[in-house]
Amino acid sequence: MCRSHRQGRASQAVMWLECRVLETGCGGRRRSLRLTVMRLPCSFWFLLLLGAGGLLLLHLQDLTETLQQQNQGAKVIFSQVQAIRKEPCTYCPDNDKQSDPAEDSFTRPAQPKQLPVFPWVQHSSLTNPRDITAAHVTKSHRKLLLKSGPLVQQLNADPPGQIKENPDRMTQVQQSRQRLMREVCAKYTSGTTKQTITRMHVSRIFVEDKHKLLYCEVPKAGCSNWKRVLMVLQGLSSSTGEIQHDEVHYGNHLKRLDSFDQKAIIHRLKTYTKVLFLREPFERLVSAFRDKFESPNSYYHPVFGKPIISKYRSNATQYALRTGAGVTFKEFIQYLLDVHRPVGMDIHWEPVGHLCSPCLLDYDFLGKFETLEEEANFLLRRIGAPSNLTFPSFKDRNPNAERTSLEITRRYFAQLNVTERQMAYDFYYMDYLMFNYSKPFKDLH
């Protein structure tokens, strides 16, 4: 019978194989082998089609990314969901949403009203936006940033009096600072997808509509006095000296940019002067620690002090665990560098790259705390502020305490070992690089 099947259907290789199996006389094995042989082509074609589909998807993805990278310009897109501020903060009053008459005319060509002319501003503030999304940068990241050649060099701060005597010097300084920041942003974000501006990115920016000013607050870099200046510019007070500390931080007098609707936010980002003032990162960190943990504080001691002491201090006293008072600088740094912090981040020691998104918003004026009064007064004159308004120099919190200086900062960091100092430097590395602050210790790399 097998010979007749072979002769009648010789063209079917599968049946020929089945007949060869019948000749062996193994009935059970014959049935299983028949099923295997009949199913093998289906499995083979299924795997082949699956592989081809995967290759097609990878090709389409690469093509999409290539088109996105070739697309020039930036599109400002806002999330429909209001961003939630996760970090607890005493100085974060929420403003009610403000309506804006400029919204109705936003679709028509904008006609700016006598905006200050800054010679160093070379392109639109919303061109090619990027955002730094990580504060911690490893050594390998630093090598990537620096491998393509030296970045623009500049002075950290000009000697007092130079700006007043030579206003053109401020133009040169601003050009240098912005060029450096853009180069660092371009290197760090090279090859990444286009970022979109969300409400979270502008949540720390205060709005002064009369003089068309947007100020991003950086705590411990003169932000209290900047808020006083904004209140005077808005006509809420005649003098910065009349405004008390609690009125500045808890009065809820100033509007935040994220309190406006989407069109109003975009309009202000495109037409207002965006201002950012910075401070040496380690010095700012020490200033925040001294203010929040070495002085009585009804918020930071229980909210931050208690969990810090509980996690990082062995044999802590019941008083320390109950009150949160007496956090040491070493314990504070342990908390800061811990990827599993017992309590969240706070704006007073968060990197500026996170607070103000400089790679995304491209600020028009980058000031420095080291020459704060001179640079702030230069800016006030440029935006048309009243001639009698100058930037205040007084210190309203702990006025008797010595201001945090570079020398004081070194004393605090001397309490840490080399590894802790290096990790802290890595934590703020993008701030050091973007704003051209020198390494604070020689043993850092």
Side-chain angles (χ1 to χ4, degrees), residues 263-404:
K263 290 184 178 180
I265 292 174
I266 298 172
H267 171 72
R268 284 165 172 79
L269 286 174
K270 287 183 175 180
T271 60
Y272 283 25
T273 302
K274 299 180 294 297
V275 177
L276 174 62
F277 270 79
L278 315 144
R279 187 174 185 177
E280 203 281 336
F282 276 10
E283 188 176 300
R284 174 176 168 246
L285 180 66
V286 172
S287 177
F289 172 78
R290 296 177 68 204
D291 182 33
K292 306 308 177 187
F293 296 102
E294 291 189 344
S295 302
N297 194 297
S298 60
Y299 176 78
Y300 283 90
H301 288 187
V303 173
F304 286 87
K306 290 168 65 174
I308 289 176
I309 292 174
S310 177
K311 182 169 184 178
Y312 306 109
R313 183 181 301 181
S314 58
N315 302 321
T317 65
Q318 289 299 316
Y319 175 79
L321 293 172
R322 185 177 68 254
T323 63
V327 172
T328 67
F329 186 67
K330 190 178 184 70
E331 292 168 342
F332 175 66
I333 294 298
Q334 287 178 298
Y335 143 78
L336 182 71
L337 302 176
D338 192 347
V339 294
H340 302 292
R341 299 185 189 98
V343 62
M345 183 57 66
D346 183 82
I347 63 170
H348 290 83
W349 44 84
E350 188 169 9
V352 176
H354 281 183
L355 283 175
C356 298
S357 303
C359 287
L360 186 64
L361 302 180
D362 196 15
Y363 288 84
D364 303 307
F365 191 95
L366 299 174
K368 290 202 171 183
F369 184 81
E370 291 76 18
T371 49
L372 174 60
E373 291 182 47
E374 277 194 279
E375 296 190 17
N377 287 330
F378 175 88
L379 176 64
L380 290 175
R381 303 289 78 79
R382 283 300 183 102
I383 66 172
S387 58
N388 62 341
L389 175 61
T390 58
F391 194 84
S393 60
F394 56 81
K395 184 176 182 236
D396 60 347
R397 276 183 63 86
N398 306 315
N400 297 325
E402 184 180 1
R403 285 185 181 272
T404 302

Side-chain angles (χ1 to χ4, degrees), residues 47-118:
L47 291 174
L48 184 62
L49 289 174
L50 182 63
L55 291 175
L56 180 60
L57 288 176
L58 289 175
H59 176 72
L60 290 176
Q61 182 178 3
D62 292 340
L63 180 61
T64 302
E65 292 177 354
T66 302
L67 291 175
Q68 288 178 347
Q69 292 174 3
Q70 292 176 349
N71 184 27
Q72 298 297 322
K75 185 176 181 180
V76 183
I77 307 173
F78 285 87
S79 172
Q80 297 295 330
V81 181
Q82 172 68 35
I84 300 176
R85 300 184 191 127
K86 297 181 180 180
E87 298 81 14
C89 174
T90 305
Y91 303 151
C92 303
D94 291 326
N95 296 327
D96 295 331
K97 187 174 182 179
Q98 305 289 329
S99 60
D100 182 40
E103 176 186 356
D104 298 333
S105 59
F106 180 75
T107 55
R108 296 191 293 272
Q111 301 293 331
K113 300 179 181 179
Q114 289 298 109
L115 288 178
V117 178
F118 294 101

Side-chain angles (χ1 to χ4, degrees), residues 195-306:
Q195 291 284 333
T196 58
I197 299 177
T198 66
R199 292 184 181 276
M200 182 180 294
H201 291 121
V202 300
S203 63
R204 304 245 60 89
I205 297 180
F206 289 97
V207 180
E208 204 287 289
D209 284 315
K210 184 176 180 181
H211 296 84
K212 298 186 179 298
L213 188 68
L214 299 179
Y215 165 73
C216 185
E217 66 166 337
V218 177
K220 315 312 298 180
C223 72
S224 296
N225 282 337
W226 259 114
K227 291 177 184 178
R228 289 184 171 91
V229 169
L230 294 178
M231 292 174 68
V232 173
L233 289 175
Q234 287 187 358
L236 300 175
S237 178
S238 59
S239 171
T240 57
E242 300 174 354
I243 309 173
Q244 300 300 314
H245 177 271
D246 288 352
E247 196 67 17
V248 170
H249 293 289
Y250 309 116
N252 202 26
H253 298 297
L254 300 174
K255 295 178 290 186
R256 293 181 186 268
L257 188 55
D258 66 345
S259 67
F260 294 89
D261 56 66
Q262 296 178 10
K263 290 184 178 180
I265 292 174
I266 298 172
H267 171 72
R268 284 165 172 79
L269 286 174
K270 287 183 175 180
T271 60
Y272 283 25
T273 302
K274 299 180 294 297
V275 177
L276 174 62
F277 270 79
L278 315 144
R279 187 174 185 177
E280 203 281 336
F282 276 10
E283 188 176 300
R284 174 176 168 246
L285 180 66
V286 172
S287 177
F289 172 78
R290 296 177 68 204
D291 182 33
K292 306 308 177 187
F293 296 102
E294 291 189 344
S295 302
N297 194 297
S298 60
Y299 176 78
Y300 283 90
H301 288 187
V303 173
F304 286 87
K306 290 168 65 174

